[in-house]
Amino acid sequence: MIDLDKPDQAPRELWSYNTTDRYANPGSPMEKSVGGGERAIMLDGDNIFLQSNGPTPTGDHPFLNRFNLTSLKTEKLFRCDDDHYEVVEGLLDAHGDKFFTRRESPTEPPNYFVRSAGGQLTAFTNFPDPQPIMRTVKKELVTYKRPDGVEMSFTLYLPPEYKPGTRLPTVIWAYPREYEDSAAADAVAVTGSLKRFTEIGGYSEIFFALNGYAVLDNASMPIVGPRATVNDHFVEQVVMDAKAAVDKAVALGVADPARIGVGGHSYGAFMTDTLLAHCDLFKAGIAESGAPNRTLTPFGFQNERRTLWQAPELYTRISPFMFADKVKTPLLLIHGEADDNDGTFPR
């Protein structure tokens, strides 16, 4: 915290935490529009309001807190219960005594409510279920560990009328993320919430579940190591991650090991290309908006800060394009012609 009227005064630290530790995140300050397209943090005297999706080892529990900038004390105003996913969308008064929420559950479509400080809940909308067929898709959170003990998870979607013990063609959809140590990776092993209302908007890998597939969605793909060199072991770790997910799905009696595919978007596409080039776990792949040749992003990529000239061997070794002759598995490459992301620009 900086006092602009006292420029010589040292800044005061309000909080500190590891950005990869989702459980320790105190939340983000709520803002308001102040005109001219600008936004500012909402103030109530010495208080600000902190909002978060509330990650926990059992799933997300969104919350709203009042934080005092003088005492540094936190007051809980709201926390989602265990049976719903409810997030604060905005305050309806300056003190946080009344606020607007979006509330849903596996059987209740998202609707808006007004909450008061006394706990009173008043419905504001009553939208019906737009996709009743999705209520027939089974969903569960599956947790497991990879061989070195790092905690992992995926959300499993099973087709309507699935009979336990039936092995299905399976799709794994994922996105790799880097962590400095296994503790940081463990802290994000469980992401999202099983209390969300399953709904498909636009294209989605979950459509596979309606066509008789098992879907392992948001499968953990941690890459663990020192920030400066974590990608030195990207290939080995992403293969280990994928094998751990496959082994778990097979052990559950859900996946047919002879009919498993993998896919992902952006860095998930890069992951897909890498897996098809370096292992034989999969029978097909979908790589959407990826960048398989890292020599075309010579100034860094994702969280890699070394340039091509500083680590030429890494850029070659990590690029699945350099191993394209090893890929014998059918691979669907999808890319938008107008993609303006400099990390995945179509070349």
Side-chain angles (χ1 to χ4, degrees):
M1 187 172 178
I2 299 171
D3 188 340
L4 297 179
D5 293 327
K6 301 176 182 178
D8 296 331
Q9 191 175 76
R12 184 188 185 198
E13 182 179 279
L14 298 180
W15 61 72
S16 176
Y17 70 99
N18 186 327
T19 55
T20 61
D21 185 355
R22 297 171 69 245
Y23 301 157
N25 190 332
S28 300
M30 296 191 71
E31 299 178 341
K32 64 179 180 180
S33 175
V34 293
E38 301 292 333
R39 298 185 64 80
I41 293 175
M42 299 178 68
L43 280 174
D44 176 26
D46 289 335
N47 297 308
I48 62 174
F49 299 94
L50 299 176
Q51 178 191 29
S52 170
N53 60 357
T56 77
T58 59
D60 291 351
H61 288 74
F63 65 75
L64 173 67
N65 289 337
R66 182 187 286 121
F67 180 77
N68 189 281
L69 298 172
T70 301
S71 67
L72 303 187
K73 292 184 177 180
T74 300
E75 177 186 359
K76 183 177 72 175
L77 300 179
F78 168 76
R79 185 177 184 272
C80 178
D81 63 38
D82 293 335
D83 298 320
H84 294 83
Y85 182 85
E86 185 174 3
V87 61
V88 175
E89 297 283 1
L91 300 186
L92 296 177
D93 66 47
H95 305 295
D97 292 330
K98 184 178 288 188
F99 42 91
F100 206 46
T101 71
R102 182 176 184 268
R103 175 183 170 96
E104 62 189 274
S105 77
T107 58
E108 303 169 45
N111 272 286
Y112 291 93
F113 292 79
V114 175
R115 276 193 175 274
S116 64
Q120 183 178 359
L121 184 66
T122 305
F124 189 79
T125 63
N126 186 26
F127 300 126
D129 185 345
Q131 300 170 354
I133 192 173
M134 294 307 300
R135 269 7 87 218
T136 67
V137 174
K138 300 176 178 65
K139 178 173 70 172
E140 64 177 288
L141 178 68
V142 177
T143 59
Y144 53 103
K145 294 181 180 181
R146 72 182 195 183
D148 61 357
V150 173
E151 299 283 350
M152 303 175 70
S153 72
F154 56 72
T155 299
L156 174 63
Y157 292 89
L158 294 171
E161 301 179 2
Y162 172 75
K163 295 181 180 178
T166 304
R167 294 196 180 274
L168 302 172
T170 301
V171 173
I172 297 177
W173 200 267
Y175 188 98
R177 299 187 186 278
E178 300 91 345
Y179 305 97
E180 289 198 72
D181 52 48
S182 58
D186 289 346
V188 296
V190 177
T191 59
S193 170
L194 286 181
K195 302 306 178 181
R196 300 297 299 267
F197 184 79
T198 303
E199 187 175 356
I200 295 177
Y203 68 91
S204 170
E205 62 275 10
I206 301 174
F207 273 120
F208 280 105
L210 294 177
N211 203 33
Y213 288 72
V215 178
L216 280 53
D217 195 36
N218 196 27
S220 299
M221 291 285 168
I223 312 300
V224 181
R227 183 173 301 182
T229 58
V230 65
N231 281 321
D232 289 356
H233 305 287
F234 177 89
V235 173
E236 298 87 346
Q237 290 202 39
V238 82
V239 170
M240 179 166 54
D241 294 336
K243 188 175 187 307
V246 167
D247 288 348
K248 183 63 177 181
V250 171
L252 290 173
V254 168
D256 179 350
R259 294 185 295 167
I260 300 179
V262 63
H265 175 80
S266 190
Y267 212 48
F270 177 71
M271 169 204 74
T272 299
D273 298 333
T274 299
L275 289 171
L276 297 192
H278 294 283
C279 74
D280 57 2
L281 294 168
F282 303 104
K283 300 303 180 184
I286 301 174
E288 179 187 81
S289 300
N293 187 352
R294 284 304 167 194
T295 67
L296 298 180
T297 56
F299 298 102
F301 55 90
Q302 204 68 2
N303 288 320
E304 179 58 59
R305 295 298 174 260
R306 291 169 290 181
T307 69
L308 169 63
W309 300 276
Q310 292 171 322
E313 292 183 0
L314 167 70
Y315 275 71
T316 300
R317 187 175 68 252
I318 204 173
S319 296
F321 177 79
M322 302 303 180
F323 301 87
D325 60 326
K326 308 295 184 184
V327 178
K328 308 301 180 184
T329 305
L331 172 63
L332 175 62
L333 297 170
I334 305 173
H335 210 118
E337 185 178 20
D339 187 347
D340 63 355
N341 184 332
D342 59 8
T344 57
F345 190 80
R347 294 172 170 87

